[in-house]
Protein backbone atom coordinates (compact mmCIF):
# COMPACT_ATOMS: atom_id res chain seq x y z
CA UNK A 1 0.00 0.00 0.00
CA UNK A 2 0.97 3.65 -0.29
CA UNK A 3 1.91 5.95 2.60
CA UNK A 4 -1.50 7.57 3.29
CA UNK A 5 -3.26 4.20 3.48
CA UNK A 6 -0.53 2.82 5.74
CA UNK A 7 -0.79 5.79 8.13
CA UNK A 8 -4.56 5.68 8.25
CA UNK A 9 -4.49 1.95 8.97
CA UNK A 10 -2.03 2.59 11.80
CA UNK A 11 -4.26 5.20 13.42
CA UNK A 12 -7.25 2.89 13.04
CA UNK A 13 -5.35 0.00 14.64
CA UNK A 14 -4.46 1.98 17.78
CA UNK A 15 -7.99 3.30 18.16
CA UNK A 16 -9.23 -0.29 17.92
CA UNK A 17 -6.72 -1.29 20.61
CA UNK A 18 -8.08 1.57 22.71
CA UNK A 19 -11.61 0.19 22.44
CA UNK A 20 -10.39 -3.31 23.29
CA UNK A 21 -8.36 -2.03 26.25
CA UNK A 22 -11.39 -0.17 27.59
CA UNK A 23 -13.53 -3.29 27.26
CA UNK A 24 -10.83 -5.22 29.17
CA UNK A 25 -10.88 -2.63 32.00
CA UNK A 26 -7.53 -1.08 31.05
CA UNK A 27 -8.95 2.12 29.60
CA UNK A 28 -6.54 4.54 27.98
CA UNK A 29 -6.61 8.15 29.18
CA UNK A 30 -7.59 10.31 26.23
CA UNK A 31 -4.01 11.64 25.77
CA UNK A 32 -2.76 8.05 25.36
CA UNK A 33 -5.51 7.34 22.83
CA UNK A 34 -4.60 10.50 20.88
CA UNK A 35 -0.82 10.24 21.12
CA UNK A 36 -0.84 6.51 20.45
CA UNK A 37 -2.97 6.85 17.33
CA UNK A 38 -0.61 9.50 15.93
CA UNK A 39 2.49 7.49 16.88
CA UNK A 40 1.01 4.38 15.29
CA UNK A 41 0.12 6.36 12.15
CA UNK A 42 3.73 7.55 11.91
CA UNK A 43 5.22 4.16 12.74
CA UNK A 44 3.13 2.61 9.97
CA UNK A 45 5.48 4.32 7.51
CA UNK A 46 8.65 3.03 9.20
CA UNK A 47 9.14 -0.29 7.33
CA UNK A 48 9.62 1.64 4.06
CA UNK A 49 12.85 3.12 5.40
CA UNK A 50 14.48 0.44 3.24
CA UNK A 51 13.52 2.45 0.13
CA UNK A 52 15.13 5.81 -0.64
CA UNK A 53 12.07 7.14 -2.50
CA UNK A 54 9.60 6.42 0.32
CA UNK A 55 7.81 9.13 2.31
CA UNK A 56 9.74 8.35 5.49
CA UNK A 57 13.05 8.52 3.64
CA UNK A 58 12.28 12.08 2.53
CA UNK A 59 10.70 13.26 5.79
CA UNK A 60 13.87 14.50 7.49
CA UNK A 61 15.91 15.67 4.54
CA UNK A 62 19.47 14.40 3.96
CA UNK A 63 19.54 12.66 7.36
CA UNK A 64 16.64 10.30 6.61
CA UNK A 65 17.90 9.73 3.05
CA UNK A 66 21.28 8.67 4.42
CA UNK A 67 19.62 6.42 6.99
CA UNK A 68 17.47 4.86 4.27
CA UNK A 69 20.58 4.02 2.25
CA UNK A 70 22.18 2.36 5.27
CA UNK A 71 19.02 0.41 6.18
CA UNK A 72 18.55 -0.74 2.59
CA UNK A 73 22.12 -2.06 2.48
CA UNK A 74 21.72 -3.85 5.80
CA UNK A 75 18.44 -5.38 4.64
CA UNK A 76 20.03 -6.54 1.37
CA UNK A 77 22.95 -8.11 3.25
CA UNK A 78 20.66 -9.93 5.70
CA UNK A 79 18.47 -11.20 2.87
CA UNK A 80 21.36 -12.56 0.83
CA UNK A 81 22.96 -14.07 3.92
CA UNK A 82 19.85 -15.93 5.05
CA UNK A 83 17.98 -16.73 1.81
CA UNK A 84 16.79 -20.26 1.22
CA UNK A 85 17.91 -22.57 -1.56
CA UNK A 86 14.92 -21.62 -3.72
CA UNK A 87 15.49 -17.89 -3.38
CA UNK A 88 17.63 -15.88 -5.77
CA UNK A 89 20.29 -13.44 -4.70
CA UNK A 90 19.10 -9.86 -5.04
CA UNK A 91 20.29 -6.28 -5.07
CA UNK A 92 18.29 -3.86 -2.96
CA UNK A 93 16.62 -4.64 0.33
CA UNK A 94 13.09 -3.30 -0.12
CA UNK A 95 10.39 -5.45 1.48
CA UNK A 96 12.82 -7.70 3.29
CA UNK A 97 14.21 -7.18 6.82
CA UNK A 98 12.13 -4.12 7.78
CA UNK A 99 8.95 -5.89 6.71
CA UNK A 100 9.22 -8.71 9.26
CA UNK A 101 7.69 -9.25 12.70
CA UNK A 102 11.17 -9.41 14.23
CA UNK A 103 12.01 -5.90 13.02
CA UNK A 104 8.68 -4.57 14.33
CA UNK A 105 9.24 -6.04 17.80
CA UNK A 106 12.86 -4.87 18.01
CA UNK A 107 11.88 -1.38 16.86
CA UNK A 108 9.21 -1.02 19.52
CA UNK A 109 11.41 -2.52 22.24
CA UNK A 110 14.24 -0.17 21.36
CA UNK A 111 12.07 2.94 21.55
CA UNK A 112 10.51 1.79 24.83
CA UNK A 113 13.93 1.19 26.33
CA UNK A 114 15.11 4.64 25.21
CA UNK A 115 12.05 6.33 26.73
CA UNK A 116 12.54 4.59 30.08
CA UNK A 117 16.31 5.02 30.18
CA UNK A 118 16.61 8.66 29.04
CA UNK A 119 13.33 10.18 30.19
CA UNK A 120 11.71 13.33 28.87
CA UNK A 121 14.18 14.23 26.13
CA UNK A 122 13.97 10.75 24.64
CA UNK A 123 10.16 10.92 24.87
CA UNK A 124 10.18 14.29 23.09
CA UNK A 125 12.44 12.91 20.35
CA UNK A 126 10.22 9.85 19.86
CA UNK A 127 7.09 11.98 19.75
CA UNK A 128 8.68 14.47 17.36
CA UNK A 129 9.76 11.83 14.86
CA UNK A 130 6.38 10.15 14.85
CA UNK A 131 4.38 13.37 14.78
CA UNK A 132 6.28 14.46 11.67
CA UNK A 133 5.63 11.08 10.06
CA UNK A 134 1.95 11.23 11.04
CA UNK A 135 1.65 14.63 9.32
CA UNK A 136 3.43 13.28 6.24
CA UNK A 137 1.13 10.26 6.11
CA UNK A 138 -2.27 11.55 7.24
CA UNK A 139 -2.02 15.07 5.83
CA UNK A 140 0.07 14.15 2.83
CA UNK A 141 -1.60 16.55 0.39
CA UNK A 142 -0.86 19.55 2.61
CA UNK A 143 2.57 18.24 3.62
CA UNK A 144 3.65 17.99 -0.02
CA UNK A 145 2.95 21.64 -0.74
CA UNK A 146 4.46 22.82 2.57
CA UNK A 147 8.12 23.26 3.35
CA UNK A 148 9.85 20.60 5.44
CA UNK A 149 10.56 23.22 8.09
CA UNK A 150 6.84 23.88 8.63
CA UNK A 151 6.15 20.17 9.01
CA UNK A 152 9.04 19.85 11.49
CA UNK A 153 7.75 22.82 13.48
CA UNK A 154 4.28 21.30 13.62
CA UNK A 155 5.80 18.01 14.75
CA UNK A 156 7.91 19.71 17.43
CA UNK A 157 4.99 21.74 18.81
CA UNK A 158 2.74 18.68 18.85
CA UNK A 159 5.40 16.61 20.61
CA UNK A 160 5.97 19.24 23.30
CA UNK A 161 2.25 19.74 23.98
CA UNK A 162 1.54 16.00 24.11
CA UNK A 163 4.48 15.37 26.44
CA UNK A 164 3.27 18.11 28.80
CA UNK A 165 -0.24 16.63 28.92
CA UNK A 166 0.99 13.04 29.31
CA UNK A 167 3.23 14.09 32.22
CA UNK A 168 0.24 15.31 34.23
CA UNK A 169 -0.90 12.89 36.98
CA UNK A 170 -3.33 10.33 35.58
CA UNK A 171 -3.00 11.55 32.00
CA UNK A 172 -1.09 8.60 30.62
CA UNK A 173 2.68 8.51 31.14
CA UNK A 174 2.28 5.46 33.42
CA UNK A 175 -0.59 3.81 31.54
CA UNK A 176 -0.33 0.01 31.66
CA UNK A 177 3.06 0.12 33.46
CA UNK A 178 2.70 2.14 36.71
CA UNK A 179 6.34 1.72 37.71
CA UNK A 180 7.83 2.50 34.30
CA UNK A 181 6.66 5.80 32.76
CA UNK A 182 6.41 5.71 28.96
CA UNK A 183 7.26 2.03 28.66
CA UNK A 184 4.04 1.74 26.62
CA UNK A 185 5.42 3.98 23.84
CA UNK A 186 6.89 0.98 22.03
CA UNK A 187 3.50 -0.71 21.67
CA UNK A 188 2.01 1.64 19.04
CA UNK A 189 5.39 1.66 17.26
CA UNK A 190 5.44 -2.12 16.99
CA UNK A 191 1.76 -2.19 16.05
CA UNK A 192 2.27 0.41 13.33
CA UNK A 193 5.07 -1.61 11.76
CA UNK A 194 3.04 -4.82 11.89
CA UNK A 195 -0.02 -3.13 10.37
CA UNK A 196 2.22 -1.88 7.55
CA UNK A 197 3.38 -5.41 6.75
CA UNK A 198 -0.19 -6.71 6.84
CA UNK A 199 -1.19 -3.97 4.43
CA UNK A 200 1.62 -4.91 2.06
CA UNK A 201 0.52 -8.55 2.28
CA UNK A 202 -2.68 -7.47 0.49
CA UNK A 203 -0.70 -6.33 -2.56
CA UNK A 204 0.62 -8.38 -5.49
CA UNK A 205 4.12 -8.90 -4.07
CA UNK A 206 3.07 -10.10 -0.63
CA UNK A 207 5.31 -9.55 2.39
CA UNK A 208 7.85 -11.78 4.22
CA UNK A 209 6.24 -11.15 7.61
CA UNK A 210 7.21 -14.51 9.12
CA UNK A 211 10.95 -14.48 8.37
CA UNK A 212 13.04 -16.45 9.28
CA UNK A 213 10.51 -19.31 9.46
CA UNK A 214 11.00 -21.59 6.42
CA UNK A 215 7.91 -21.99 4.25
CA UNK A 216 8.11 -24.18 1.17
CA UNK A 217 11.91 -24.08 1.19
CA UNK A 218 11.95 -20.27 1.34
CA UNK A 219 12.89 -18.14 4.36
CA UNK A 220 11.60 -14.93 2.77
CA UNK A 221 8.26 -16.35 1.73
CA UNK A 222 5.93 -13.51 0.60
CA UNK A 223 2.90 -14.06 2.81
CA UNK A 224 -0.32 -12.69 1.39
CA UNK A 225 -4.00 -13.11 0.74
CA UNK A 226 -5.19 -15.44 -2.05
CA UNK A 227 -4.04 -14.14 -5.43
CA UNK A 228 -7.49 -13.11 -6.60
CA UNK A 229 -7.83 -10.80 -3.57
CA UNK A 230 -4.54 -8.93 -4.09
CA UNK A 231 -4.15 -5.56 -5.76
CA UNK A 232 -1.41 -3.31 -7.04
CA UNK A 233 -0.09 -0.73 -4.56
CA UNK A 234 -1.82 2.60 -5.17
CA UNK A 235 -4.78 1.02 -6.98
CA UNK A 236 -8.31 2.39 -6.63
CA UNK A 237 -9.17 -0.16 -3.97
CA UNK A 238 -6.95 1.73 -1.51
CA UNK A 239 -8.61 5.11 -1.87
CA UNK A 240 -12.15 3.93 -2.66
CA UNK A 241 -12.52 0.96 -0.32
CA UNK A 242 -9.77 0.54 2.27
CA UNK A 243 -9.19 4.14 3.36
CA UNK A 244 -12.90 4.90 3.91
CA UNK A 245 -13.17 1.61 5.84
CA UNK A 246 -10.17 2.56 7.99
CA UNK A 247 -11.76 5.94 8.77
CA UNK A 248 -15.13 4.46 9.74
CA UNK A 249 -13.62 1.68 11.88
CA UNK A 250 -11.17 4.10 13.50
CA UNK A 251 -13.85 6.67 14.33
CA UNK A 252 -16.18 4.01 15.76
CA UNK A 253 -13.35 2.50 17.80
CA UNK A 254 -12.27 5.89 19.15
CA UNK A 255 -15.79 6.78 20.22
CA UNK A 256 -16.19 3.33 21.74
CA UNK A 257 -12.95 3.66 23.70
CA UNK A 258 -13.99 7.01 25.17
CA UNK A 259 -17.59 5.95 25.93
CA UNK A 260 -16.56 2.73 27.67
CA UNK A 261 -13.88 4.55 29.65
CA UNK A 262 -16.43 7.13 30.82
Amino acid sequence: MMGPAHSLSGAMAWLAVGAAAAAADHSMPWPVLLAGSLICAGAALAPDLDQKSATISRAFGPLSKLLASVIEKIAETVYNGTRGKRERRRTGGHRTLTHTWIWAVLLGAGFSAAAVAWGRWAVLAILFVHMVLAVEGLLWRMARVSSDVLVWLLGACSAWLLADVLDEPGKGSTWLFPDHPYLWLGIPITLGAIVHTLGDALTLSGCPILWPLPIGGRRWYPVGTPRFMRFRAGAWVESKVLMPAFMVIGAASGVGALVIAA
Side-chain angles (χ1 to χ4, degrees), residues 78-246:
V78 172
Y79 172 88
N80 287 326
T82 61
R83 62 192 174 91
K85 294 180 179 179
R86 296 181 57 192
E87 292 168 315
R88 295 181 179 180
R89 189 175 184 85
R90 59 180 292 180
T91 57
H94 183 47
R95 284 206 185 184
T96 55
L97 180 62
T98 62
H99 287 67
T100 66
W101 70 271
I102 290 180
W103 178 273
V105 171
L106 291 177
L107 194 67
F111 277 114
S112 280
V116 172
W118 295 311
R120 181 176 175 82
W121 289 108
V123 171
L124 284 171
I126 293 168
L127 288 173
F128 167 70
V129 168
H130 290 90
M131 293 307 104
V132 169
L133 294 179
V135 171
E136 293 281 359
L138 297 175
L139 303 177
W140 63 279
R141 290 185 186 277
M142 288 178 279
R144 284 186 178 180
V145 299
S146 302
S147 70
D148 287 341
V149 175
L150 288 177
V151 175
W152 298 341
L153 285 173
L154 179 57
C157 291
S158 301
W160 193 276
L161 291 172
L162 282 172
D164 280 348
V165 174
L166 289 166
D167 279 339
E168 294 177 12
K171 292 296 186 180
S173 64
T174 57
W175 175 72
L176 211 59
F177 303 99
D179 298 327
H180 301 285
Y182 292 109
L183 183 60
W184 62 268
L185 277 181
I187 300 175
I189 293 172
T190 292
L191 179 62
I194 290 176
V195 169
H196 178 112
T197 60
L198 293 176
D200 279 350
L202 299 175
T203 62
L204 295 177
S205 301
C207 197
I209 303 169
L210 300 179
W211 176 84
L213 298 178
I215 301 175
R218 303 168 69 181
R219 291 196 179 277
W220 296 91
Y221 185 86
V223 176
T225 52
R227 286 286 176 182
F228 74 92
M229 295 177 62
R230 299 190 194 186
F231 56 86
R232 190 178 302 279
W236 65 269
V237 69
E238 282 190 34
S239 59
K240 302 298 184 182
V241 178
L242 293 180
M243 291 179 70
F246 294 156

Side-chain angles (χ1 to χ4, degrees), residues 53-78:
S53 61
T55 299
I56 185 174
S57 304
R58 304 190 307 267
F60 299 95
L63 180 62
S64 54
K65 289 180 181 179
L66 175 61
L67 182 59
S69 297
V70 173
I71 295 297
E72 182 183 22
K73 192 62 180 177
I74 292 173
E76 176 188 331
T77 301
V78 172

